[in-house]
mmCIF file of all heavy atoms in Angstrom:
data_model
loop_
_atom_site.group_PDB
_atom_site.id
_atom_site.type_symbol
_atom_site.label_atom_id
_atom_site.label_comp_id
_atom_site.label_asym_id
_atom_site.label_seq_id
_atom_site.Cartn_x
_atom_site.Cartn_y
_atom_site.Cartn_z
ATOM 1 N N ALA B 1 228.762 103.102 208.342
ATOM 2 C CA ALA B 1 229.771 102.982 207.285
ATOM 3 C C ALA B 1 229.955 101.531 206.862
ATOM 4 O O ALA B 1 230.121 101.239 205.667
ATOM 5 C CB ALA B 1 231.091 103.577 207.757
ATOM 6 N N GLU B 2 229.916 100.605 207.809
ATOM 7 C CA GLU B 2 230.049 99.195 207.461
ATOM 8 C C GLU B 2 228.821 98.690 206.705
ATOM 9 O O GLU B 2 228.936 97.829 205.824
ATOM 10 C CB GLU B 2 230.284 98.372 208.724
ATOM 11 C CG GLU B 2 231.673 98.587 209.328
ATOM 12 C CD GLU B 2 231.846 97.891 210.657
ATOM 13 O OE1 GLU B 2 230.835 97.359 211.180
ATOM 14 O OE2 GLU B 2 232.977 97.880 211.180
ATOM 15 N N ALA B 3 227.641 99.212 207.036
ATOM 16 C CA ALA B 3 226.443 98.855 206.269
ATOM 17 C C ALA B 3 226.536 99.368 204.834
ATOM 18 O O ALA B 3 226.144 98.672 203.886
ATOM 19 C CB ALA B 3 225.200 99.413 206.956
ATOM 20 N N ASP B 4 227.072 100.574 204.657
ATOM 21 C CA ASP B 4 227.284 101.105 203.301
ATOM 22 C C ASP B 4 228.300 100.251 202.542
ATOM 23 O O ASP B 4 228.147 100.018 201.333
ATOM 24 C CB ASP B 4 227.764 102.549 203.370
ATOM 25 C CG ASP B 4 226.692 103.495 203.889
ATOM 26 O OD1 ASP B 4 225.494 103.120 203.817
ATOM 27 O OD2 ASP B 4 227.042 104.588 204.372
ATOM 28 N N LEU B 5 229.330 99.785 203.243
ATOM 29 C CA LEU B 5 230.313 98.908 202.604
ATOM 30 C C LEU B 5 229.663 97.597 202.184
ATOM 31 O O LEU B 5 229.923 97.099 201.073
ATOM 32 C CB LEU B 5 231.477 98.650 203.563
ATOM 33 C CG LEU B 5 232.547 97.650 203.076
ATOM 34 C CD1 LEU B 5 233.200 98.138 201.787
ATOM 35 C CD2 LEU B 5 233.596 97.418 204.161
ATOM 36 N N ALA B 6 228.823 97.036 203.038
ATOM 37 C CA ALA B 6 228.137 95.790 202.683
ATOM 38 C C ALA B 6 227.237 95.982 201.466
ATOM 39 O O ALA B 6 227.160 95.111 200.600
ATOM 40 C CB ALA B 6 227.316 95.303 203.884
ATOM 41 N N ARG B 7 226.574 97.132 201.377
ATOM 42 C CA ARG B 7 225.728 97.402 200.210
ATOM 43 C C ARG B 7 226.576 97.522 198.950
ATOM 44 O O ARG B 7 226.210 97.014 197.879
ATOM 45 C CB ARG B 7 224.941 98.688 200.435
ATOM 46 C CG ARG B 7 224.049 99.079 199.263
ATOM 47 C CD ARG B 7 223.513 100.463 199.425
ATOM 48 N NE ARG B 7 224.588 101.448 199.562
ATOM 49 C CZ ARG B 7 225.285 101.902 198.533
ATOM 50 N NH1 ARG B 7 225.033 101.504 197.297
ATOM 51 N NH2 ARG B 7 226.250 102.789 198.726
ATOM 52 N N ALA B 8 227.735 98.188 199.061
ATOM 53 C CA ALA B 8 228.608 98.334 197.894
ATOM 54 C C ALA B 8 229.167 96.992 197.429
ATOM 55 O O ALA B 8 229.450 96.815 196.241
ATOM 56 C CB ALA B 8 229.749 99.299 198.214
ATOM 57 N N LEU B 9 229.320 96.043 198.351
ATOM 58 C CA LEU B 9 229.874 94.736 198.009
ATOM 59 C C LEU B 9 228.812 93.737 197.593
ATOM 60 O O LEU B 9 229.151 92.663 197.073
ATOM 61 C CB LEU B 9 230.654 94.158 199.200
ATOM 62 C CG LEU B 9 231.829 94.977 199.739
ATOM 63 C CD1 LEU B 9 232.474 94.253 200.902
ATOM 64 C CD2 LEU B 9 232.828 95.261 198.652
ATOM 65 N N GLY B 10 227.537 94.041 197.834
ATOM 66 C CA GLY B 10 226.507 93.038 197.641
ATOM 67 C C GLY B 10 226.617 91.927 198.671
ATOM 68 O O GLY B 10 226.373 90.755 198.384
ATOM 69 N N TRP B 11 226.967 92.317 199.894
ATOM 70 C CA TRP B 11 227.255 91.363 200.966
ATOM 71 C C TRP B 11 225.965 90.848 201.577
ATOM 72 O O TRP B 11 225.022 91.603 201.788
ATOM 73 C CB TRP B 11 228.103 92.050 202.029
ATOM 74 C CG TRP B 11 228.653 91.142 203.086
ATOM 75 C CD1 TRP B 11 228.049 90.782 204.235
ATOM 76 C CD2 TRP B 11 229.928 90.507 203.085
ATOM 77 N NE1 TRP B 11 228.857 89.954 204.965
ATOM 78 C CE2 TRP B 11 230.023 89.765 204.285
ATOM 79 C CE3 TRP B 11 230.998 90.490 202.196
ATOM 80 C CZ2 TRP B 11 231.149 89.020 204.607
ATOM 81 C CZ3 TRP B 11 232.115 89.745 202.509
ATOM 82 C CH2 TRP B 11 232.186 89.028 203.703
ATOM 83 N N HIS B 12 225.930 89.552 201.889
ATOM 84 C CA HIS B 12 224.782 88.943 202.548
ATOM 85 C C HIS B 12 225.168 88.600 203.984
ATOM 86 O O HIS B 12 226.214 88.025 204.237
ATOM 87 C CB HIS B 12 224.338 87.673 201.817
ATOM 88 C CG HIS B 12 223.940 87.913 200.392
ATOM 89 N ND1 HIS B 12 222.763 88.529 200.045
ATOM 90 C CD2 HIS B 12 224.584 87.640 199.222
ATOM 91 C CE1 HIS B 12 222.674 88.607 198.729
ATOM 92 N NE2 HIS B 12 223.772 88.082 198.199
ATOM 93 N N GLY B 13 224.306 88.969 204.911
ATOM 94 C CA GLY B 13 224.590 88.712 206.311
ATOM 95 C C GLY B 13 225.064 89.953 207.029
ATOM 96 O O GLY B 13 224.847 91.089 206.591
ATOM 97 N N SER B 14 225.720 89.735 208.174
ATOM 98 C CA SER B 14 226.214 90.848 208.978
ATOM 99 C C SER B 14 227.283 91.617 208.209
ATOM 100 O O SER B 14 228.114 91.011 207.519
ATOM 101 C CB SER B 14 226.807 90.342 210.297
ATOM 102 O OG SER B 14 225.829 89.642 211.050
ATOM 103 N N PRO B 15 227.262 92.954 208.282
ATOM 104 C CA PRO B 15 228.264 93.746 207.538
ATOM 105 C C PRO B 15 229.682 93.392 207.974
ATOM 106 O O PRO B 15 229.942 93.185 209.160
ATOM 107 C CB PRO B 15 227.908 95.191 207.896
ATOM 108 C CG PRO B 15 226.475 95.150 208.312
ATOM 109 C CD PRO B 15 226.294 93.817 208.977
ATOM 110 N N PRO B 16 230.627 93.308 207.045
ATOM 111 C CA PRO B 16 232.013 92.990 207.404
ATOM 112 C C PRO B 16 232.739 94.221 207.926
ATOM 113 O O PRO B 16 232.329 95.358 207.690
ATOM 114 C CB PRO B 16 232.605 92.513 206.076
ATOM 115 C CG PRO B 16 231.857 93.308 205.053
ATOM 116 C CD PRO B 16 230.456 93.464 205.592
ATOM 117 N N ALA B 17 233.821 93.978 208.630
ATOM 118 C CA ALA B 17 234.674 95.055 209.127
ATOM 119 C C ALA B 17 235.850 95.234 208.181
ATOM 120 O O ALA B 17 236.502 94.263 207.797
ATOM 121 C CB ALA B 17 235.172 94.735 210.536
ATOM 122 N N ALA B 18 236.095 96.467 207.766
ATOM 123 C CA ALA B 18 237.231 96.751 206.884
ATOM 124 C C ALA B 18 238.521 96.561 207.658
ATOM 125 O O ALA B 18 238.684 97.087 208.762
ATOM 126 C CB ALA B 18 237.131 98.169 206.336
ATOM 127 N N ALA B 19 239.441 95.818 207.078
ATOM 128 C CA ALA B 19 240.708 95.525 207.755
ATOM 129 C C ALA B 19 241.845 95.665 206.760
ATOM 130 O O ALA B 19 241.635 95.694 205.550
ATOM 131 C CB ALA B 19 240.690 94.109 208.350
ATOM 132 N N GLY B 20 243.052 95.747 207.294
ATOM 133 C CA GLY B 20 244.230 95.831 206.437
ATOM 134 C C GLY B 20 244.775 97.246 206.348
ATOM 135 O O GLY B 20 244.172 98.205 206.840
ATOM 136 N N PRO B 21 245.902 97.408 205.686
ATOM 137 C CA PRO B 21 246.531 98.739 205.555
ATOM 138 C C PRO B 21 245.725 99.642 204.640
ATOM 139 O O PRO B 21 244.937 99.193 203.808
ATOM 140 C CB PRO B 21 247.908 98.421 204.962
ATOM 141 C CG PRO B 21 247.712 97.122 204.231
ATOM 142 C CD PRO B 21 246.704 96.357 205.041
ATOM 143 N N LEU B 22 245.930 100.942 204.807
ATOM 144 C CA LEU B 22 245.212 101.933 204.015
ATOM 145 C C LEU B 22 246.013 102.444 202.830
ATOM 146 O O LEU B 22 245.525 103.306 202.092
ATOM 147 C CB LEU B 22 244.815 103.122 204.902
ATOM 148 C CG LEU B 22 243.849 102.812 206.043
ATOM 149 C CD1 LEU B 22 243.596 104.067 206.858
ATOM 150 C CD2 LEU B 22 242.541 102.258 205.510
ATOM 151 N N ASP B 23 247.236 101.956 202.634
ATOM 152 C CA ASP B 23 248.080 102.448 201.542
ATOM 153 C C ASP B 23 248.189 101.442 200.406
ATOM 154 O O ASP B 23 249.175 101.404 199.680
ATOM 155 C CB ASP B 23 249.474 102.784 202.061
ATOM 156 C CG ASP B 23 250.131 101.585 202.746
ATOM 157 O OD1 ASP B 23 249.438 100.575 202.970
ATOM 158 O OD2 ASP B 23 251.333 101.669 203.055
ATOM 159 N N VAL B 24 247.151 100.611 200.221
ATOM 160 C CA VAL B 24 247.180 99.616 199.156
ATOM 161 C C VAL B 24 247.016 100.307 197.804
ATOM 162 O O VAL B 24 246.137 101.162 197.628
ATOM 163 C CB VAL B 24 246.062 98.576 199.366
ATOM 164 C CG1 VAL B 24 246.053 97.568 198.230
ATOM 165 C CG2 VAL B 24 246.243 97.880 200.700
ATOM 166 N N ASP B 25 247.855 99.942 196.841
ATOM 167 C CA ASP B 25 247.796 100.433 195.454
ATOM 168 C C ASP B 25 248.065 101.930 195.340
ATOM 169 O O ASP B 25 247.721 102.538 194.320
ATOM 170 C CB ASP B 25 246.433 100.127 194.817
ATOM 171 C CG ASP B 25 246.206 98.635 194.650
ATOM 172 O OD1 ASP B 25 247.211 97.898 194.622
ATOM 173 O OD2 ASP B 25 245.042 98.214 194.529
ATOM 174 N N LEU B 26 248.670 102.526 196.357
ATOM 175 C CA LEU B 26 248.964 103.954 196.251
ATOM 176 C C LEU B 26 250.182 104.231 195.387
ATOM 177 O O LEU B 26 250.453 105.392 195.064
ATOM 178 C CB LEU B 26 249.186 104.537 197.657
ATOM 179 C CG LEU B 26 247.953 104.574 198.561
ATOM 180 C CD1 LEU B 26 248.299 105.250 199.874
ATOM 181 C CD2 LEU B 26 246.795 105.288 197.888
ATOM 182 N N ASP B 27 250.919 103.191 194.992
ATOM 183 C CA ASP B 27 252.082 103.387 194.137
ATOM 184 C C ASP B 27 251.748 103.208 192.669
ATOM 185 O O ASP B 27 252.633 103.141 191.824
ATOM 186 C CB ASP B 27 253.190 102.401 194.521
ATOM 187 C CG ASP B 27 252.708 100.952 194.463
ATOM 188 O OD1 ASP B 27 251.484 100.738 194.406
ATOM 189 O OD2 ASP B 27 253.567 100.048 194.487
ATOM 190 N N ARG B 28 250.458 103.148 192.338
ATOM 191 C CA ARG B 28 250.072 102.995 190.942
ATOM 192 C C ARG B 28 250.217 104.320 190.204
ATOM 193 O O ARG B 28 250.502 105.357 190.797
ATOM 194 C CB ARG B 28 248.623 102.496 190.839
ATOM 195 C CG ARG B 28 248.425 101.117 191.481
ATOM 196 C CD ARG B 28 247.119 100.513 191.051
ATOM 197 N NE ARG B 28 245.990 101.421 191.236
ATOM 198 C CZ ARG B 28 244.764 101.164 190.811
ATOM 199 N NH1 ARG B 28 244.516 100.054 190.156
ATOM 200 N NH2 ARG B 28 243.781 102.026 191.041
ATOM 201 N N ALA B 29 249.974 104.275 188.895
ATOM 202 C CA ALA B 29 250.124 105.474 188.068
ATOM 203 C C ALA B 29 249.141 106.546 188.507
ATOM 204 O O ALA B 29 247.989 106.269 188.844
ATOM 205 C CB ALA B 29 249.891 105.126 186.596
ATOM 206 N N THR B 30 249.609 107.784 188.515
ATOM 207 C CA THR B 30 248.762 108.904 188.894
ATOM 208 C C THR B 30 247.975 109.391 187.696
ATOM 209 O O THR B 30 248.194 108.984 186.555
ATOM 210 C CB THR B 30 249.624 110.047 189.457
ATOM 211 O OG1 THR B 30 250.542 110.474 188.431
ATOM 212 C CG2 THR B 30 250.413 109.573 190.671
ATOM 213 N N ALA B 31 247.061 110.309 187.952
ATOM 214 C CA ALA B 31 246.213 110.828 186.876
ATOM 215 C C ALA B 31 247.023 111.596 185.841
ATOM 216 O O ALA B 31 246.670 111.635 184.661
ATOM 217 C CB ALA B 31 245.123 111.715 187.464
ATOM 218 N N ASP B 32 248.132 112.213 186.264
ATOM 219 C CA ASP B 32 248.936 112.990 185.323
ATOM 220 C C ASP B 32 249.647 112.109 184.303
ATOM 221 O O ASP B 32 249.996 112.580 183.208
ATOM 222 C CB ASP B 32 249.972 113.829 186.089
ATOM 223 C CG ASP B 32 249.310 114.873 186.984
ATOM 224 O OD1 ASP B 32 248.164 115.255 186.677
ATOM 225 O OD2 ASP B 32 249.930 115.280 187.985
ATOM 226 N N SER B 33 249.902 110.843 184.633
ATOM 227 C CA SER B 33 250.632 109.952 183.725
ATOM 228 C C SER B 33 249.723 109.111 182.858
ATOM 229 O O SER B 33 250.201 108.261 182.114
ATOM 230 C CB SER B 33 251.547 109.027 184.547
ATOM 231 O OG SER B 33 250.782 108.217 185.423
ATOM 232 N N VAL B 34 248.421 109.314 182.935
ATOM 233 C CA VAL B 34 247.457 108.530 182.154
ATOM 234 C C VAL B 34 247.138 109.271 180.867
ATOM 235 O O VAL B 34 246.840 110.465 180.878
ATOM 236 C CB VAL B 34 246.172 108.285 182.973
ATOM 237 C CG1 VAL B 34 245.136 107.556 182.131
ATOM 238 C CG2 VAL B 34 246.487 107.481 184.227
ATOM 239 N N GLU B 35 247.222 108.569 179.739
ATOM 240 C CA GLU B 35 246.878 109.161 178.451
ATOM 241 C C GLU B 35 245.378 109.411 178.393
ATOM 242 O O GLU B 35 244.579 108.550 178.780
ATOM 243 C CB GLU B 35 247.301 108.239 177.307
ATOM 244 C CG GLU B 35 248.795 108.018 177.204
ATOM 245 C CD GLU B 35 249.530 109.282 176.782
ATOM 246 O OE1 GLU B 35 248.875 110.155 176.170
ATOM 247 O OE2 GLU B 35 250.738 109.395 177.054
ATOM 248 N N SER B 36 244.996 110.569 177.904
ATOM 249 C CA SER B 36 243.578 110.917 177.862
ATOM 250 C C SER B 36 242.791 109.983 176.945
ATOM 251 O O SER B 36 241.608 109.723 177.185
ATOM 252 C CB SER B 36 243.407 112.364 177.400
ATOM 253 O OG SER B 36 243.956 112.554 176.099
#
């Protein structure tokens, strides 16, 4: 999974470890409130 993350980031070197909270940006607008 970390190798896949490094590929998605275009990371060079050893794959990074994902850190931090998992609820970042969860208070943004939902799909129902977005104009088509």
Side-chain angles (χ1 to χ4, degrees):
E2 289 174 352
D4 292 339
L5 175 60
R7 179 191 58 78
L9 301 180
W11 189 272
H12 300 286
S14 300
L22 297 178
D23 57 350
V24 178
D25 294 338
L26 292 184
D27 56 345
R28 298 195 309 173
T30 61
D32 296 336
S33 62
V34 176
E35 296 292 337
S36 60

